[in-house]
Amino acid sequence: MSSTIAPIAIDLGRSWDRFLDASQQFGNHFAEIGWGSIAIAFVIYAGMLLARGRAWEQTLEAAYPKSDVKYDKIAAAYIAGAGLNSFIPARVGDVTKIFLAKHSIRGSTYPTIVSSFFVQSVFDTTIGLAVLGYAITQGLLPNPPDIPDLPAFDIAFWAQHPRFLMFFLTAGGIGLIVAYAITARRAEKFWDRVKQGAIVLTDVRRYLRTVAFWQFVAWLARFASFYFFLEAFHIGGSFQNVLLVMSVQSVSTVLPFTPGGAGAQQALLVATLGGTAGTTGSQVLAYSVGQQVAIAVWTALLGFIALAFVFRTTDLRGLIRSAEKDAGRGKEEKEKAEV
């Protein structure tokens, strides 16, 4: 076991080293940053978070038509969770989003809140695959034979161990099927609550008008913010470059071993954007870490503001502990439903 863990620890250390090297390049290019473009990118990115919050609020409104689902509370919960996800790995922010939303709607349950949260994945997955497909068909991403050699542990590990990846995916799929088969018979009440959270999907017109529309707005805002980030670091804002950055961000955060896929994003962007006309590797490194840090800090600041002004708290540790404790109660709620 130790012979396996040691190389992994070394590779993770190298990922952080690459991120730190990129940070140094960011410092070297600091004076060249277009701060006007950064400011525009920040405003648009905030709009993207608000649009995603609206999509979630509309999903919850469909699930709880008789309850008072307030947009400010749900949007603030979404932004606060996104802020935590920006600097804490393992998606702790998602647990916090669900916790805050649950306590913002009287009579709500965790199964319903959780399933409503994942309703957005229908649209996101579709658009994400389209963006990734475009990048692959246009030859923007590294060729498959070169992926195991990329200096990015998060990506190279799975490429170097395809059998383990297939085992991991197969075992996970079988586990989900078995869990569903066991609980489907014993937890009709629980599954009714799960279906309640996704009920907006049963009304296609309402879903497209109230949920998918706002997610589309959020994707447009994300695209526009990345455009201005590219402009700020003099990489060149273009349709192709923005889609490339969005593809790299998606790939590097699928199974992240570091917050936000730090290290993996830098390796992929250098391998892709580094070859564009008039762009040096140091510029790409400065851009990659600059955008990643800027978005993380900005999202964390917005999350802190949301917590302070909407939920009247700044105790992040206490909030995370309460969210994790409540998640445990959610499991007990499921077990009671199964009885």
Side-chain angles (χ1 to χ4, degrees):
M1 178 68 72
S2 60
S3 61
T4 302
I5 295 176
I8 292 177
I10 292 171
D11 283 334
L12 282 173
R14 288 173 180 168
S15 287
W16 278 113
D17 287 341
R18 282 186 293 276
F19 183 77
L20 293 175
D21 289 341
S23 300
Q24 184 177 356
Q25 294 298 331
F26 169 67
N28 294 338
H29 289 269
F30 188 81
E32 303 170 8
I33 297 173
W35 293 104
S37 295
I38 291 286
I40 295 172
F42 277 168
V43 172
I44 296 174
Y45 197 85
M48 183 272 288
L49 293 173
L50 290 172
R52 292 189 66 84
R54 173 64 76 181
W56 192 21
E57 179 260 342
Q58 289 293 308
T59 303
L60 287 167
E61 197 170 275
Y64 293 105
K66 297 182 180 179
S67 298
D68 185 16
V69 181
K70 296 182 178 179
Y71 170 66
D72 60 339
K73 292 278 189 180
I74 302 305
Y78 188 90
I79 293 171
L84 289 174
N85 277 339
S86 68
F87 62 91
I88 301 178
R91 313 304 293 180
V92 171
D94 288 349
V95 176
T96 306
K97 290 178 192 177
I98 292 165
F99 167 79
L100 292 172
K102 198 261 184 187
H103 286 268
S104 299
I105 305 173
R106 186 184 300 274
S108 61
T109 63
Y110 274 112
T112 300
I113 298 294
V114 171
S115 60
S116 73
F117 179 71
F118 286 105
V119 164
Q120 296 190 44
S121 64
V122 175
F123 186 89
D124 288 340
T125 301
T126 302
I127 298 297
L129 289 175
V131 170
L132 186 60
Y134 174 85
I136 292 173
T137 56
Q138 297 299 310
L140 301 179
L141 294 176
N143 295 322
D146 299 330
I147 293 177
D149 298 325
L150 282 176
F153 171 72
D154 310 58
I155 300 166
F157 176 81
W158 301 109
Q160 291 168 355
H161 303 85
R163 292 184 179 179
F164 181 72
L165 175 60
M166 290 303 299
F167 171 79
F168 178 83
L169 294 175
T170 303
I174 293 174
L176 288 174
I177 293 172
V178 171
Y180 178 83
I182 293 174
T183 59
R185 294 182 179 180
R186 300 171 55 193
E188 289 185 10
K189 186 177 180 181
F190 170 78
W191 285 110
D192 285 342
R193 292 173 178 173
V194 170
K195 288 185 287 186
Q196 181 183 351
I199 198 169
V200 71
L201 293 174
T202 62
D203 186 341
V204 177
R205 293 182 64 182
R206 180 176 183 176
Y207 166 74
L208 293 175
R209 187 181 70 255
T210 63
V211 179
F213 169 77
W214 286 107
Q215 287 186 263
F216 180 68
V217 171
W219 272 87
L220 289 179
R222 186 183 176 200
F223 183 98
S225 68
F226 283 6
Y227 174 90
F228 283 102
F229 275 121
L230 286 163
E231 285 290 301
F233 287 90
H234 308 290
I235 302 297
S238 67
F239 180 81
Q240 180 170 292
N241 282 353
V242 172
L243 289 186
L244 175 58
V245 171
M246 294 173 78
S247 300
V248 165
Q249 193 176 72
S250 298
V251 171
S252 62
T253 55
V254 170
L255 292 170
F257 289 89
T258 54
Q265 283 196 44
Q266 282 67 53
L268 275 171
L269 285 172
V270 169
T272 52
L273 283 176
T276 57
T279 303
T280 65
S282 64
Q283 279 182 297
V284 175
L285 284 174
Y287 158 73
S288 65
V289 74
Q291 174 176 291
Q292 193 169 1
V293 170
I295 287 177
V297 172
W298 178 237
T299 308
L301 176 61
L302 291 175
F304 184 82
I305 292 172
L307 286 174
F309 286 92
V310 178
F311 293 104
R312 309 293 182 182
T313 181
T314 56
D315 182 10
L316 293 180
R317 291 184 179 180
L319 179 63
I320 293 172
R321 283 196 298 269
S322 297
E324 292 175 341
K325 187 181 295 184
D326 242 35
R329 294 196 189 105
K331 291 182 180 179
E332 294 178 3
E333 184 180 312
K334 173 184 174 182
E335 291 173 359
K336 289 179 180 178
E338 292 177 349
V339 175

